[in-house]
Amino acid sequence: EVKPPAVEKQVVSTEVSAEEGKRVPGTQGDVLKVVENLPGVARAAAGSGAHAVWGSAPQDTRVYVDGIHVPRLFHDGGYRSIINSDFVKSVELVPGAYGASYGRGLGGLVTVALKPLDEDGVHGSVSADTIDAAGSVRARLGDRWHVAIAARKSYLDSTTSLVTSQNVGEYIPIPQFWDGQARVVYDIAPHETMELGGMISSDKTTRSLPNADPTLATSQTTTTDFNRVYLHYTKHLKEGAVVEVVPSYGKDKTSLLNLYGSTPTNVTNDSDVFGLRAVWRGPVTKFLRASAGVDAELYSSTLHRSGSIGAPPREGDIYVFGEAPPPQINSDDWKTVIGSVAPFIEGDFALDEDRLHIIPGARLDPLITMSNKSVPPPPGNPAIGYSREESVIEPRLAIRYAFTPRISAKAAYGEYHQTPQAEELSAVFGNPTLGLSYAQHELVGTNFQLTDLLSIETTGFYRTMNSLVVRSTASSPYIAQALDQVGIGRAYGVQFLLRQDKGNGRFFGWVSYTISRSERQDAPNLPWRLFDYDQTHVFTMLGSYDVGRGFEVGARFRFASGYPRTPVTGAYYDVVTDTYEPIFGFHNSIRIPSFYSLDLRVAKRFRIMSTNAEVYLDVQNVTDHTNDEEIVYNPNYTQRGYITGFPVLPVLGARWAW
């Protein structure tokens, strides 16, 4: 019997199985949506599927599906994930200080493990609810072949009027999305498989702020499309080691059209994405397990941008929702290539009769960044390109010690880096010479296993960041220096997780609480300010209970501090534009009111011959509490109001599986 080595967990991580994840209230059976309920994750704003982890920007957290990097975990709005739950084995969130096998991000790490296709016969499911409809089929073909396919399509934009009388779509963006996955697995030999797979995802969302004066109306339309094709080779060796090789290719396509009156801002990015992960992991000696491999990634992008030089706003910009963008306009077309091939190695030394684990690791990441324009070329002259090469060594170290079988402590340290975004390398709107941003993660914590199924985990963290990309503070920046790399940041706090696993019982759930602070300094001469995504308090309490006879009930309560905003202290009239312009107070010195919501879930499972069916009602915000999501002002800034989130939203759905 050949068994793979046990995969050592990250020093601080939360893993949820698919069986538990799909029964969490508020997820409507979507396994991956459980991530938004885990400690260290800030609540996403209404209409956004982006989450800040441990005070980092949403784009700083990397997402991998079976070793393949994807640009997002959720569709717009956060209503659904990008992968059908029938394909998911588990999801793991590592908010920081992760090992050497992953990199290129200043924030956290989310890894999704897909289920192996090893079932006999034909299996599948169909489901539908207020939000979307989905279906999947899995089958064994012969002795060695397995196939699976899944697809999903949303229609919330059409059904919203059926569940609420309020015109929420006027202010809250209702996304339109679809996705699909396909997998073909061939069993080469016992313990050796090859998988050919693909995934595709598409989103379109329009956000608007209507106004009686058409010249003051604001709208923003975003589209995000991506696809991946991959091969996944896995071989379990006789000595207990595992070899995995995962090459992949795909395309990312994003666009943004921002309209303020008749003034458009248009941004598009088309990227070819090449990836390769190859890793060996297994035992080296009686007390040492190790992993070694290579992680390669290359983005080749073609971009266009036209319109206001200050739209869309960046993190740290002082503005108010619905405010007119700067009147200066420009245009640029450019190409970039960003890539690296990073070897890594990591060991797990088990000492003191397996009570002490010391896990050192290192990652070498040579980076190349190229742009076809170093500065805007004069009319009629060819563009002059620019290339930059950097190499960084990232040390990682984690330590775990078990004082008793039920009490343990942990500590970890790691250095991380992140490349600039392709959109930031514009010679007109950005800076083609931008390099790496850096972060250091430090954490300490304890774990108490109170019973076989009940545990409490406490983690304190501190993260520092430097060389962050910020908008230039100069009133007239030099050519190709609209962005600077002088920002620094820090985030620190403590998170708690009290978790009851289901085991063979009827109840599972957890209570998570994170208290943290995230700050930025945009230039050496500027004061520290709150990060735009800072949330001081994030609290989640949820549970699900199997009543019996196929009935299951659950509840979720969430509380989160509101996002920081900059107050408007006055206004002046601009005779040139015939509009009022706001006068701002101290940067991010007020907050949107706190968010809270109570969600309930009731489900009934049926056995129909040899198939299973389930009907559920998942009611979000059952108290119909008005949650303020954004601050808005009247045209002369004398009155302040709020855009509110969804009222009570009942999601009635059904699922049939065979």
Side-chain angles (χ1 to χ4, degrees), residues 197-213:
M199 60 186 84
I200 189 169
S201 173
S202 178
D203 282 82
K204 181 179 180 180
T205 304
T206 298
R207 184 178 188 179
S208 61
L209 182 63
N211 194 294
D213 184 350

Side-chain angles (χ1 to χ4, degrees), residues 485-497:
Q485 202 158 12
V486 296
I488 59 176
R490 61 192 179 197
Y492 49 91
V494 181
Q495 69 178 39
F496 306 90
L497 176 63

Side-chain angles (χ1 to χ4, degrees), residues 36 132 216 278 520 630 654:
E36 65 187 10
D132 60 15
L216 300 178
R520 297 293 186 272
E630 188 57 79

Side-chain angles (χ1 to χ4, degrees), residues 130 174 268 285 288 308 412 436 497:
T130 309
I174 308 298
T268 62
T285 67
L288 172 62
S308 171
L436 298 174
L497 176 63

Side-chain angles (χ1 to χ4, degrees), residues 623-650:
T623 63
D624 201 20
H625 173 68
T626 300
N627 283 303
D628 299 322
E629 297 287 355
E630 188 57 79
I631 300 174
V632 292
Y633 293 85
N634 64 341
N636 62 2
Y637 296 95
T638 58
Q639 297 179 357
R640 184 172 73 182
Y642 295 93
I643 294 177
T644 59
F646 256 113
V648 58
L649 177 63

Side-chain angles (χ1 to χ4, degrees), residues 32 288 318 514 523 561 575:
L32 301 185
L288 172 62
I318 297 179
T514 303
S561 301
V575 295

